[in-house]
Amino acid sequence: MVRSHKELLIRYSINQGMHWFSMGIVIPVMILALMDLGFNIGQVGIAMAVMGTTVLVLELPTGGLSDTLGRKRVYIIAVVFYIAGYSLILAAGTFIILLAAVILAGTGRALSSGSIDAWFVDEHKRLGGDDRQLQKDLAAAGVVIPAALGAGTLAGGIIPDISGTIRTNIVVLILLYIIQIFLTVVVIKESRDGFSKNIAAGFQNFPHVLGSAMKFGIRQRNVFAVLMATGALGIGLSGLEQLWQPHVRNISPETGTWILGLLAAGYFVSAAAGNAISSRILKLTGNRYVPVMVSFRLLMGVFYILLSFTSTTGSFAPIYFILFFTHGITESPEMTVFNRNIPSDKRSSLLSLNSLFLQAGGAAGAVVAGQIALKANIPAAWMLSGGLLALSAFAYLLIREPANEDKI
């Protein structure tokens, strides 16, 4: 059993740091790896769409499983799906097998979403932590996790140069996830209280848990406000993630791929820096979360719009980094508000619902931004996305902060 908040933070950071470091290994080369396996760009695009759709469809139902079967148990099942999916990708000799592989990997991603996060908040509550302590710990984890992801991304760019083949990245990912199973068994300590000890009983209970969580998310004012802001974030960020590399190529045709790698890593580092400073900013405001979230979401939208006017890599990079820095500042207060307004028995389901809003917004944003960029240009797509992000700041004004913010 976890005995202190410090121990809890260490265990959570180890687990999630390893998870995202491992995923970072394939981020910079996944598309190239699939093409190296013999699939064309059209097939790769379909495969990525199938994986995204799998996550979107299963995001909420799998969150419900964590609330019935237990967070640790479902997370380990998720890692097994990851291993199976990426192993099958390596063995994929036909497009049908590739589609089966990405469905397995997408299922793993959906299962893992929110499971260990819910464990962390539940344990924090059990230890008697208040909102301020939760926000500080989420901010600390928000430094470790993006840093681990950035380190994995950098490593993922180096591994092919050392091994001579991009496929090595997938092999390394599989090996790291095998280690992650044993690491999770040792690091994550979870009580069975409140969870179904029998897996079959857990599956029977989960439709009720799922329906109850969805109704709660829509009817609870503060939770719904965060969901609206999350959906808008998904719409905005998808346009940026989809188009920033083509934009950099357009404004700096001679830019080497190593610059793209540095920019990608800088994104994670900037988000980590924002998380690191968020507790100090909240302290200056008397721990009033809503004004901080409104202000920095507005700033994020403004910097997004400014990004559309960049014409050199030198002007693009600082604005790009500041944009994600402002995003990092809002992450921990937003999740603190979200978690203090949801009950433990619905926590994983509602965290998955939040992720579902992000995924759905991302899917819609990718289509709209892509079409605007195709028919007009990338800056036009970014100006629209940035404007939407700025407007989404006002969703936070719906949140009612309690007079006593000490308890989750």
Side-chain angles (χ1 to χ4, degrees):
M1 182 176 290
V2 181
R3 300 182 184 279
S4 69
H5 287 106
K6 182 177 180 180
E7 179 188 346
L8 174 63
L9 178 60
I10 291 171
R11 289 177 181 273
Y12 176 67
S13 297
I14 289 172
N15 176 274
Q16 289 298 282
M18 180 66 169
H19 177 97
W20 289 108
F21 174 83
S22 303
M23 187 56 65
I25 295 293
V26 299
I27 285 176
V29 298
M30 191 63 203
I31 304 300
L32 297 176
L34 293 178
M35 294 178 71
D36 188 55
L37 288 165
F39 300 102
N40 61 46
I41 191 66
Q43 291 173 317
V44 171
I46 293 172
M48 292 298 98
V50 168
M51 181 184 287
T53 301
T54 301
V55 176
L56 192 63
V57 171
L58 296 180
E59 184 80 60
L60 190 54
T62 52
L65 286 179
S66 287
D67 285 333
T68 56
L69 299 179
R71 289 74 159 96
K72 179 178 178 179
R73 183 188 288 178
V74 168
Y75 177 76
I76 290 174
I77 293 171
V79 178
V80 171
F81 269 94
Y82 270 126
I83 293 169
Y86 282 98
S87 297
L88 193 57
I89 285 174
L90 281 178
T94 67
F95 184 54
I96 296 299
I97 294 177
L98 176 63
L99 292 181
V102 297
I103 288 172
L104 287 173
T107 302
R109 182 175 171 184
L111 283 165
S112 67
S113 175
S115 53
I116 299 301
D117 301 316
W119 167 82
F120 174 74
V121 177
D122 284 345
E123 287 296 303
H124 202 283
K125 183 176 180 180
R126 183 185 63 79
L127 291 168
D130 58 22
D131 276 1
R132 294 187 184 95
Q133 182 68 48
L134 176 62
Q135 185 276 320
K136 288 179 181 178
D137 288 347
L138 286 172
V143 174
V144 174
I145 294 169
L149 184 53
T153 301
L154 286 175
I158 295 170
I159 288 171
D161 290 336
I162 297 174
S163 66
T165 174
I166 296 174
R167 301 182 195 187
T168 306
N169 289 51
I170 299 178
V171 175
V172 172
L173 172 69
I174 293 168
L175 292 175
L176 288 174
Y177 271 143
I178 291 172
I179 295 171
Q180 178 74 338
I181 290 177
F182 294 101
L183 189 65
T184 300
V185 170
V186 173
V187 170
I188 304 300
K189 303 296 183 182
E190 181 180 50
S191 169
R192 290 289 184 189
D193 294 342
F195 299 123
S196 297
K197 295 179 175 62
N198 181 281
I199 291 181
F203 275 97
Q204 290 173 359
N205 291 336
F206 115 88
H208 169 72
V209 173
L210 183 61
S212 175
M214 290 181 67
K215 290 178 182 177
F216 184 92
I218 294 171
R219 293 175 180 174
Q220 215 286 341
R221 176 175 176 152
N222 292 357
V223 172
F224 187 67
V226 173
L227 291 174
M228 291 297 98
T230 298
L233 181 68
I235 293 173
L237 286 186
S238 64
L240 185 55
E241 291 172 352
Q242 180 183 7
L243 299 171
W244 76 265
Q245 292 181 17
H247 179 71
V248 171
R249 286 292 195 188
N250 288 341
I251 62 178
S252 303
E254 304 302 319
T255 298
T257 55
W258 64 274
I259 290 290
L260 299 178
L262 284 178
L263 287 170
Y267 147 38
F268 299 122
V269 172
S270 298
N275 270 284
I277 201 173
S278 63
S279 295
R280 294 183 181 180
I281 292 175
L282 283 167
K283 187 175 181 180
L284 291 173
T285 66
N287 289 297
R288 295 177 64 210
Y289 295 166
V290 171
V292 171
M293 292 188 294
V294 170
S295 300
F296 284 94
R297 174 59 70 86
L298 275 171
L299 281 174
M300 186 181 181
V302 170
F303 281 111
Y304 200 159
I305 293 171
L306 289 176
L307 202 63
S308 65
F309 293 100
T310 57
S311 57
T312 65
T313 304
S315 62
F316 174 87
I319 297 175
Y320 181 70
F321 294 152
I322 293 171
L323 188 157
F324 283 105
F325 175 74
T326 59
H327 174 49
I329 291 172
T330 63
E331 281 189 309
S332 61
E334 181 181 86
M335 291 315 297
T336 301
V337 170
F338 192 74
N339 277 289
R340 79 170 167 213
N341 284 284
I342 58 179
S344 179
D345 64 338
K346 297 178 177 64
R347 194 176 309 282
S348 188
S349 297
L350 285 162
L351 285 170
S352 289
L353 182 62
N354 190 52
S355 183
L356 176 64
F357 270 70
L358 184 69
Q359 297 282 347
V367 173
V368 174
Q371 288 300 308
I372 294 174
L374 184 64
K375 295 180 179 180
N377 52 46
I378 292 174
W382 283 355
M383 280 190 276
L384 180 63
S385 297
L388 176 62
L389 269 185
L391 287 173
S392 71
F394 297 102
Y396 293 130
L397 294 177
L398 296 173
I399 295 172
R400 294 174 178 169
E401 294 197 82
N404 180 0
E405 297 179 4
D406 289 337
K407 293 299 178 184
I408 298 171

